[in-house]
Amino acid sequence: MTDQTAASRTPRPGRAADTRVDVVLPCLDEAAALPWVLARVPEGWRAIVVDNGSADGSADVARSLGATVVHEPRRGFGAACAAGLLAADADLVGFCDCDASLDPALLRGPAESVRSGAADLVLGRRRPRGRGAWPLHARLGNAALVRMLHRRTGLRLRDLGPLRIARREALLGLGLTDRRSGYPLEMVVRAADAGWRVTETDVPYHPRTGTSKVTGTWRGTWQAVHDMRGVLRTAAPAAPAPAEVAAR
């Protein structure tokens, strides 16, 4: 399977009867977790592993397990997610962490909600399973952001977790610009501004494999909160609703 460089990718039009889902998996030194994660991607769906500068052979592991590998040299969670979105060509695109804390198979139900029109963006509300799955400082940071999000958009969510799914063309229409930790929040803010139906569903959240690059430390968590607060302070231009994008 040929590797892809993010900078060389351009969006391709979706297919009218496409039932496949592309799952974007941002990856930075996740070789130990990849076998479990990729084995859990539903049959018929495509795993897009976005290597964000790994030094542990993650790209080789992903390739050997049949994943599409995209190389994104710019460091940052948002940069990796954006590169994966550009590499996708399925009608629906899911996002999932690549550290085995979340099961990509859990995207099946949310995919049906989006496909049926019951929701435009579905988020997985993390429910911790096991000691250390969601450290206190990470939960406090998330709670603070959820409150700020409610004040900014009126949405009553309980989590801003990374497991999520929406239509590809609609996501591209949001024009997301954050390339660091603010990317997940910017997606929700702009979706709310565009009048999307944003829902959440409970998903089990397990202790990750390896060391977290963001929420594993107080410093990493509050850097992420800082990035996301910047997103909330920035006025976003109006984005088209998913139905408007589909009609083009």
Side-chain angles (χ1 to χ4, degrees):
M1 190 170 292
T2 304
D3 286 0
Q4 302 168 11
T5 302
S8 69
R9 298 289 301 169
T10 55
R12 290 180 286 177
R15 294 182 287 276
D18 193 354
T19 59
R20 180 169 54 87
V21 175
D22 283 339
V23 182
V24 175
L25 299 159
C27 176
L28 177 59
D29 295 329
E30 307 290 4
L34 276 166
W36 184 87
V37 173
L38 294 177
R40 299 294 300 164
V41 174
E43 185 177 358
W45 293 15
R46 180 170 65 139
I48 301 176
V49 174
V50 185
D51 186 66
N52 203 206
S54 298
D56 68 346
S58 288
D60 292 336
V61 172
R63 191 183 306 109
S64 72
L65 294 170
T68 295
V69 176
V70 174
H71 294 283
E72 175 49 79
R74 295 171 299 173
R75 284 291 181 91
F77 182 79
C81 288
L85 179 59
L86 284 178
D89 63 4
D91 180 38
L92 301 186
V93 178
F95 297 84
C96 183
D97 277 355
C98 202
D99 57 12
S101 61
L102 290 163
D103 184 347
L106 296 170
L107 286 167
R108 285 195 187 97
E112 289 308 311
S113 294
V114 175
R115 189 175 284 119
S116 69
D120 299 313
L121 172 64
V122 182
L123 310 179
R125 180 198 180 194
R126 292 169 289 184
R127 306 294 282 174
R129 299 287 189 272
R131 184 176 181 181
W134 201 0
L136 175 62
H137 52 270
R139 283 184 279 127
L140 291 174
N142 181 76
L145 289 167
V146 166
R147 287 194 296 272
M148 288 187 281
L149 176 70
H150 175 64
R151 289 196 295 268
R152 167 67 173 75
T153 68
L155 287 177
R156 292 189 177 277
L157 300 176
R158 292 164 292 181
D159 190 14
L160 291 169
L163 189 80
R164 52 187 62 197
I165 192 164
R167 293 192 181 276
R168 171 183 169 274
E169 291 292 341
L171 285 169
L172 290 169
L174 292 179
L176 304 180
T177 59
D178 192 280
R179 294 298 180 262
R180 290 171 40 124
S181 301
Y183 185 91
L185 177 60
E186 185 185 20
M187 182 186 294
V188 177
V189 170
R190 293 206 177 192
D193 287 348
W196 289 28
R197 291 158 298 178
V198 182
T199 65
E200 60 183 1
T201 184
D202 288 358
V203 295
Y205 189 51
H206 302 281
R208 61 157 291 145
T209 298
T211 303
S212 174
K213 289 81 177 174
V214 178
T215 58
T217 65
W218 281 94
R219 180 177 180 180
T221 294
W222 292 111
Q223 179 60 58
V225 171
H226 178 269
D227 290 347
M228 293 185 184
R229 290 180 69 180
V231 168
L232 290 169
R233 288 194 299 265
T234 302
E244 295 171 351
V245 172
R248 288 178 180 174

